[in-house]
Amino acid sequence: PDSSCSSCNYNYGEYIVDMDTYLEAALGYKEEVQEQYCETCNECYEKAAEAAEADDDAAEEDEDAYKCQNMDTSSCYAECQNIENMEENGYMDASELTECQQLDYEDDYGNVYYAGAMCASSGSRIKIGIFTDEECSNYDESKDIENYMKNDDGYSLKLSYHLLKQTFAEGECVASCLVEDEEQNQNEDNGDDENEAEINEMCEELYEAAGKCETSHGFEQGIVDYDNYDNQVRNENLVCNYISTLKAGHYDQTGEIVVSGGRTTLGGGAATTGGQKFALTFFALGSVGVAGYVFMLHQQLTKGTTADLAQQGGTIA
């Protein structure tokens, strides 16, 4: 693990994990970071207010003053207040709907709907969608989730993606897998290297659950150093090939296979193109025509045979 994010060209791994497992780990981590951030922000905000009423000497005596050095209390306080009062402001945290769940709604025909997380923007984002089944597998693209959300008083709510969007942040790390703190850095400055690096719990959970492709990228000290991972080692080539197909765009955001040219999606819910409809119609009509011709020919042959037999005095069984 590293404490920074950068592109890799050697000695790295590629990993794949299902979205539910990823969101459970990532949202748990992001919620903890958000709580710590707002807790520190509130402390710094109060200290700033107290310092404004006290002399400078009193402010310098605070041992935790370093926590507020890079904290913009004017902006962070407003942000944290919005998070705390989200529902009062007419919003609901989208992260509360990532697990498939039935909505508190029923139409005039007795139909109920379900909400859950799904891939969006060709797999680069995650959003909350509406589904018609309790497994959240049948997506209803005609419906907008915000039209079915109300609070306890019956007022409409909007979705806030403030926390959820941090799990697919573009151009930045979702998390640093190497945990560093001030005490550890201080010990290293003093020449004390006895402390082992602490690994982010989120990274540990995802690493253990993920399919791994490491050896082909020069990272040969990964899964082989873990117990009970024999199966993953044996199937690493399959994982690498599958990840390669995903990166090449051979699957769409619903998991259907994609091929090049024309209509690209193949699967149970795929639509047909105009050319495909024409071909199907042509072959269907052609089949009917051929069937009609065969029937007519059969009738003619039968009549001809009957006439010949009658002339010869034969009988028909």
Side-chain angles (χ1 to χ4, degrees):
D2 199 346
S3 59
S4 63
C5 276
S6 60
S7 60
C8 303
N9 52 30
Y10 189 72
N11 195 24
Y12 69 98
E14 290 184 300
Y15 308 93
I16 184 169
V17 69
D18 65 276
M19 185 173 62
D20 290 340
T21 300
Y22 173 75
L23 285 178
E24 182 180 357
L27 283 174
Y29 169 74
K30 289 298 182 180
E31 286 174 0
E32 183 179 345
V33 170
Q34 181 173 276
E35 290 176 2
Q36 293 176 350
Y37 171 78
C38 287
E39 182 179 341
T40 302
C41 174
N42 291 333
E43 291 179 1
C44 295
Y45 185 84
E46 294 176 358
K47 289 178 180 179
E50 294 173 356
E53 300 176 357
D55 54 34
D56 295 337
D57 294 336
E60 292 178 357
E61 294 176 359
D62 186 1
E63 296 181 354
D64 296 329
Y66 70 92
K67 294 181 179 180
C68 304
Q69 290 178 354
N70 299 319
M71 184 71 68
D72 185 352
T73 54
S74 60
S75 61
C76 76
Y77 186 76
E79 178 185 354
C80 292
Q81 286 298 303
N82 286 335
I83 295 173
E84 183 177 350
N85 302 309
M86 186 177 296
E87 187 171 345
E88 288 85 345
N89 294 331
Y91 286 87
M92 178 180 183
D93 195 332
S95 64
E96 297 180 16
L97 294 174
T98 54
E99 294 185 13
C100 188
Q101 55 194 275
Q102 183 176 330
L103 294 171
D104 187 16
Y105 174 86
E106 183 175 325
D107 64 17
D108 296 335
Y109 303 97
N111 297 318
V112 297
Y113 299 99
Y114 301 82
M118 62 174 291
C119 292
S121 300
S122 300
S124 62
R125 295 177 179 273
I126 300 173
K127 73 173 186 178
I128 304 301
I130 286 189
F131 302 83
T132 58
D133 65 305
E134 61 184 6
E135 301 296 331
C136 285
S137 58
N138 298 322
Y139 172 54
D140 190 341
E141 61 181 8
S142 68
K143 293 179 172 55
D144 186 346
I145 179 64
E146 292 189 351
N147 294 333
Y148 299 85
M149 293 173 46
K150 297 184 182 298
N151 61 15
D152 295 336
D153 298 324
Y155 293 101
S156 298
L157 292 172
K158 293 181 178 292
L159 274 185
S160 170
Y161 281 88
H162 177 80
L163 186 63
L164 183 58
K165 70 180 181 181
Q166 296 180 41
T167 64
F168 54 85
E170 185 176 355
E172 62 181 77
C173 285
V174 173
S176 172
C177 288
L178 183 61
V179 178
E180 294 183 344
D181 54 38
E182 295 294 328
E183 183 178 354
Q184 180 178 343
N185 291 335
Q186 184 65 32
N187 290 335
E188 291 177 354
D189 292 340
N190 295 332
D192 184 3
D193 297 331
E194 294 182 0
N195 291 332
E196 293 185 1
E198 183 179 354
I199 308 302
N200 187 322
E201 184 177 351
M202 166 190 159
C203 296
E204 279 191 308
E205 292 177 0
L206 292 179
Y207 185 82
E208 291 178 2
K212 304 168 182 62
C213 177
E214 298 178 332
T215 306
S216 60
H217 302 301
F219 187 40
E220 300 180 352
Q221 297 180 346
I223 56 177
V224 293
D225 290 339
Y226 284 77
D227 296 333
N228 303 321
Y229 273 36
D230 292 340
N231 184 55
Q232 292 208 40
V233 174
R234 288 195 301 268
N235 292 284
E236 187 178 9
N237 286 336
L238 294 176
V239 174
C240 293
N241 290 335
Y242 183 61
I243 291 176
S244 179
T245 61
L246 290 178
K247 293 170 62 180
H250 293 165
Y251 294 89
D252 67 7
Q253 62 191 31
T254 65
E256 301 289 355
I257 299 174
V258 173
V259 295
S260 60
R263 178 70 175 184
T264 58
T265 303
L266 301 176
T272 56
T273 64
Q276 289 172 331
K277 290 178 180 178
F278 172 79
L280 289 172
T281 304
F282 175 80
F283 285 116
L285 293 176
S287 298
V288 172
V290 170
Y293 176 74
V294 171
F295 177 76
M296 180 184 67
L297 185 62
H298 175 74
Q299 289 291 98
Q300 292 177 349
L301 291 174
T302 302
K303 289 179 180 179
T305 303
T306 303
D308 290 342
L309 288 173
Q311 292 176 357
Q312 297 173 13
T315 58
I316 300 177

